[in-house]
Amino acid sequence: MAAPSSAGSSLYDAIVVGAGIQGSFTAYHLAKQGRRALLLEQFPLPHSRGSSHGQSRIIRSTYPQPHYTRMMPECYRLWAQLEAEAGTQLYRRTGLLVLGAEGSPAFGACLQSLAQHRVPRELLSAQELPQRFPGVRAYRGETAVFEPTAGVLRADKALRAVQDLFLQAGGALQDGEKVVAIEPGPVVTVRTSAGVHRAGSLVITAGPWTNKLLAPLGLQLPLQPLRVSVCYWKEKVPGTYGSPARFPCFLSLSTSQAPHDIYGLPAGEYPGMVKVCYHHGRPVDPDERDREPEGSALPDIQILRGFVGQYLPGLEPEPAVVESCMYTITPDEDFVLDRHPQFSNIMIGAGFSGHGFKLAPVVGKVLCELSLGQAPSCNVEPFRIQRFPGQRRAAL
Ligand SMILES: Cc1cc2nc3c(=O)[nH]c(=O)nc-3n(C[C@H](O)[C@H](O)[C@H](O)COP(=O)(O)OP(=O)(O)OC[C@H]3O[C@@H](n4cnc5c(N)ncnc54)[C@H](O)[C@@H]3O)c2cc1C
Ligand SMILES: O=C(O)[C@@H]1CCCCN1
């Protein structure tokens, strides 16, 4: 993507490193505030080597942690604003079905969070479920809650729309340009594979590469990049799990058989195939994502086969397509949205733990506000670096 020269000189108000969904939204908000912003991306755009590629992401308010549910009305508002500005539909309402064990703490926490924030919802028993959504089974001792306003975001189109609107607002985007060194100071100097840029503040939204950029800045966060399998399963009868059948997104909370959640989206992106994935993966170096470790097994796909056979009997119990994506997880699966503890004009947005896409409009807004020295418009306490004791490296 060509970089416009509208930014004028090489001293920017802010530089954002990483043009995934979080960096792109941060840059968009900066440009909307009339700031001179440069967005740098190491790979030529679009690319599929980070966390923001692919056609679909779930948007939902059902969360066991109420701080995410609380952020969702503003997210929905900003997604609608983006659709209006871009003149394109990015959100499709499908509803979300959350399956859990009766009385499980995670399921109870979801219900509480939905009630606390008055999100429309409907409880369904294991017996009611197949009548309402033929194609899904549930078993004795299981229960479900349906969130009708949840749906699917068109991820690739959304990423492109945010970047286009950033450029239209006067921002500069340079792709195929890797940041190789950051020199802190009242004016931050950023050295790249192509040149040198300076700015009053810097925002690091480098996804799984974040710790590589932070190491020379004396900081290592507990961020674990994971390679995740993105699996698509064929419908036995075409149309049974798509929008004509009003099939929703679903999230099956962790069980003893599947220690992490399993989720799915209605057929759409690939005709006749349903995306059903495991919310976990294998630790990976992001620069070697596709290198198979010796003797590697794929326990996630084994778990998914069992789930599909048991709960989604209208799908072939073998994935027809398997793609890759990366998560960057924190120990508590909460994000990091904070300043560098030592360099207050360097912001970090990382650790989105496989659930950050829907929240990107607000994440970008908060990172923009922090970088401009403004009070963040949402409560950032759950996202502070100081919740990880002893992570900061003493010496620079
Ligand atoms: C399979 C899968 C399913 C998901 N499902 C959902 C979902 O249903 N709902 C939801 O809300 N979220 C979901 N997520 C999570 C969501 O997609 C991520 O949280 C989000 O995309 C993270 O974006 P990011 O901008 O932080 O990272 P990235 O997209 O990885 O962006 C970081 C960028 O920084 C660039 N970069 C790194 N280092 C440098 C450097 N030195 N110089 C220049 N550029 C650099 C990288 O190339 C990359 O483009 C899912 C994620 C995956 C993988
Ligand atoms: O953020 C989400 O809504 C989904 C839930 C399941 C795991 C992947 N991300």
Side-chain angles (χ1 to χ4, degrees), residues 17-24 40-43 45 47 49-53 56-60 63 153 177-180 205-210 213 228-230 263 265 275 277 324-328 335 349-359:
V17 185
I21 196 67
Q22 312 299 0
S24 298
L40 292 170
E41 168 55 48
Q42 63 181 340
F43 300 129
L45 291 169
H47 74 84
R49 293 188 52 193
S51 302
S52 301
H53 59 280
S56 62
R57 293 292 187 277
I58 296 174
I59 177 165
R60 61 182 160 116
Y63 261 99
L153 292 168
E177 184 166 342
K178 180 175 176 169
V179 172
V180 292
T205 44
W209 288 267
T210 300
L213 283 164
V228 175
S229 308
V230 185
Y263 66 98
L265 287 77
K275 179 171 162 181
C277 309
S324 288
C325 193
M326 280 188 285
Y327 283 1
T328 309
F335 308 160
F352 295 99
S353 302
H355 64 101
F357 204 97
K358 68 184 85 55
L359 289 137

Side-chain angles (χ1 to χ4, degrees), residues 134-165:
V136 188
R137 297 276 172 277
Y139 296 86
R140 191 196 291 260
E142 293 175 337
T143 184
V145 62
F146 181 64
E147 180 200 331
T149 45
V152 177
L153 292 168
R154 300 168 81 181
D156 282 344
K157 285 202 163 54
L159 184 61
R160 181 65 198 257
V162 185
Q163 292 169 354
D164 285 350
L165 289 166

Side-chain angles (χ1 to χ4, degrees), residues 83 125 158 271 288 297 349:
E83 285 183 316
S125 68
E288 300 182 358

Side-chain angles (χ1 to χ4, degrees), residues 40-390:
L40 292 170
E41 168 55 48
Q42 63 181 340
F43 300 129
L45 291 169
H47 74 84
S48 56
R49 293 188 52 193
S51 302
S52 301
H53 59 280
Q55 296 182 45
S56 62
R57 293 292 187 277
I58 296 174
I59 177 165
R60 61 182 160 116
S61 300
T62 310
Y63 261 99
Q65 308 96 323
H67 46 269
Y68 294 113
T69 308
R70 191 179 311 126
M71 290 160 79
M72 286 313 299
E74 177 69 348
C75 283
Y76 276 107
R77 191 186 71 73
L78 290 172
W79 279 115
Q81 184 180 311
L82 188 81
E83 285 183 316
E85 288 174 5
T88 186
Q89 191 192 346
L90 300 170
Y91 156 72
R92 186 165 66 88
R93 180 173 158 149
T94 62
L96 170 85
L97 194 60
V98 179
L99 292 163
E102 270 169 19
S104 84
F107 190 79
C110 286
L111 291 184
Q112 206 178 339
S113 188
L114 287 169
Q116 189 184 338
H117 296 282
R118 297 194 168 82
V119 180
R121 65 209 176 272
E122 204 181 319
L123 274 172
L124 294 166
S125 68
Q127 295 75 31
E128 288 167 322
L129 201 61
Q131 291 152 27
R132 183 71 187 279
F133 298 108
V136 188
R137 297 276 172 277
Y139 296 86
R140 191 196 291 260
E142 293 175 337
T143 184
V145 62
F146 181 64
E147 180 200 331
T149 45
V152 177
L153 292 168
R154 300 168 81 181
D156 282 344
K157 285 202 163 54
L159 184 61
R160 181 65 198 257
V162 185
Q163 292 169 354
D164 285 350
L165 289 166
F166 165 64
L167 291 172
Q168 281 169 31
L173 194 166
Q174 289 178 204
D175 63 348
E177 184 166 342
K178 180 175 176 169
V179 172
V180 292
I182 296 166
E183 292 164 20
V187 169
V188 184
T189 301
V190 173
R191 297 189 188 279
T192 72
S193 47
V196 179
H197 309 282
R198 292 185 177 80
S201 65
L202 180 74
V203 183
I204 299 176
T205 44
W209 288 267
T210 300
N211 264 341
K212 295 194 183 209
L213 283 164
L214 291 178
L217 298 173
L219 185 65
Q220 285 293 269
L221 297 171
L223 301 174
Q224 176 62 64
L226 298 178
R227 174 183 162 175
V228 175
S229 308
V230 185
C231 304
Y232 295 84
W233 310 71
K234 249 188 183 156
E235 293 172 313
K236 290 178 182 167
V237 177
T240 42
Y241 288 86
S243 37
R246 298 175 149 251
F247 189 72
C249 295
F250 68 85
L251 180 62
S252 171
L253 299 176
S254 61
T255 60
S256 53
Q257 286 159 312
H260 298 274
D261 299 346
I262 291 173
Y263 66 98
L265 287 77
E269 42 200 296
Y270 300 140
M273 288 190 204
V274 180
K275 179 171 162 181
V276 182
C277 309
Y278 192 47
H279 180 51
H280 202 65
R282 192 168 65 201
V284 74
D285 174 341
D287 290 313
E288 300 182 358
R289 186 194 70 183
D290 299 324
R291 180 181 287 188
E292 296 290 337
E294 259 173 60
S296 77
L298 289 170
D300 52 345
I301 297 196
Q302 195 51 41
I303 288 170
L304 287 170
R305 282 189 193 108
F307 179 87
V308 168
Q310 214 180 333
Y311 288 85
L312 304 167
L315 297 181
E316 304 281 356
E318 191 61 40
V321 173
V322 180
E323 298 174 351
S324 288
C325 193
M326 280 188 285
Y327 283 1
T328 309
I329 57 164
T330 61
D332 53 14
E333 298 201 4
D334 275 328
F335 308 160
V336 173
L337 301 176
D338 206 348
R339 296 175 189 285
H340 188 291
Q342 197 171 351
F343 308 115
S344 63
N345 59 349
I346 298 182
M347 311 316 122
I348 301 156
F352 295 99
S353 302
H355 64 101
F357 204 97
K358 68 184 85 55
L359 289 137
V362 167
V363 164
K365 191 173 169 194
V366 165
L367 290 170
C368 164
E369 290 161 343
L370 289 175
S371 74
L372 298 176
Q374 301 168 352
S377 53
C378 90
N379 174 20
V380 290
E381 277 316 307
F383 312 126
R384 292 245 186 249
I385 290 172
Q386 65 189 24
R387 75 183 192 274
F388 309 123

